[in-house]
């Protein structure tokens, strides 16, 4: 009986690893320079990731208003932002922020979700591209599922990749100034 249980447990472990590997982003590698993004915010002003990133840690979060798992993840992301945006960080004079990139097609749905989910950080962008999964941004960042997030260091390099933004917690703690 114990051998059967052990074999079953081992099979489940391998299956879980294979499933995670299937959805893991292979286009973006840790240590590589984050590709720049320059898109409109809800007010129609173009904002650039590289400008926001200067001297700060950025959690780049990919999501959409129509994505149930994204919306369920947003409260954790809000808590992360509220706690870490006030902290001081090593080698990052401008601290930490979140940049949200939405795969929405409709501006009204995107803006309503930002408000309803209390996404209070100032940096939201979208291309409102009807191609969603075949846009320049999803191709550039290898986005095949959402939610997905990446931690970018003040030097513009990718420090972490996550299925949900709040998973960046442990990595952020490494950079908080004592």
């Amino acid at each position: 009986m114990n051998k059967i249980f052990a074999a079953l447990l081992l099979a489940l472990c391998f299956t879980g690893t294979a499933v995670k590997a299937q959805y893991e982003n292979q286009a973006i590698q840790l240590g590589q320079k984050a590709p720049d993004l320059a898109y409109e915010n809800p007010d129609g002003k173009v904002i650039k990731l590289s400008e926001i990133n200067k001297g700060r840690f950025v959690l780049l979060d990919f999501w959409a208003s129509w994505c149930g798992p994204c919306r369920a993840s947003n409260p954790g992301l809000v808590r992360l932002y509220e706690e870490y945006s006030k902290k001081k960080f090593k080698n990052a004079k401008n601290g930490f922020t979140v940049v949200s990139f939405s795969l929405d097609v409709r501006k009204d749905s995107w803006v309503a979700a930002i408000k309803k989910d209390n996404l209070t950080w100032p940096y939201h962008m979208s291309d409102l591209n009807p191609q969603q999964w075949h846009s320049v941004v999803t191709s550039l960042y290898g986005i095949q599922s959402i939610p997905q997030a990446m931690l970018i260091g003040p030097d513009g390099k990718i420090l972490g990749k996550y299925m949900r933004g709040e998973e960046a917690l442990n990595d952020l703690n490494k950079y908080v100034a004592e």
Side-chain angles (χ1 to χ4, degrees), residues 61-65 67-75 117 146-148 164:
D61 182 59
F62 294 91
W63 75 295
S65 67
C67 168
C70 300
R71 302 294 294 276
S73 176
N74 279 343
D117 292 0
I146 52 176
Q148 194 170 149
R164 299 165 74 101

Side-chain angles (χ1 to χ4, degrees), residues 124-152:
H124 299 273
M125 61 172 70
S126 181
D127 58 3
L128 298 174
N129 188 330
Q131 296 293 315
Q132 293 172 323
W133 299 108
H134 303 289
S135 73
V136 171
V137 175
T138 55
S139 176
L140 193 61
Y141 273 89
I143 305 301
Q144 296 178 1
S145 64
I146 52 176
Q148 194 170 149
M150 295 171 201
L151 182 61
I152 305 169

Side-chain angles (χ1 to χ4, degrees), residues 40 61 80 125 142 145 158 162 168:
E40 289 186 3
D61 182 59
L80 183 91
M125 61 172 70
S145 64
I158 304 288
Y162 319 97

Side-chain angles (χ1 to χ4, degrees), residues 153-165:
D155 61 356
K157 292 183 180 174
I158 304 288
L159 300 174
K161 303 185 293 184
Y162 319 97
M163 295 293 281
R164 299 165 74 101

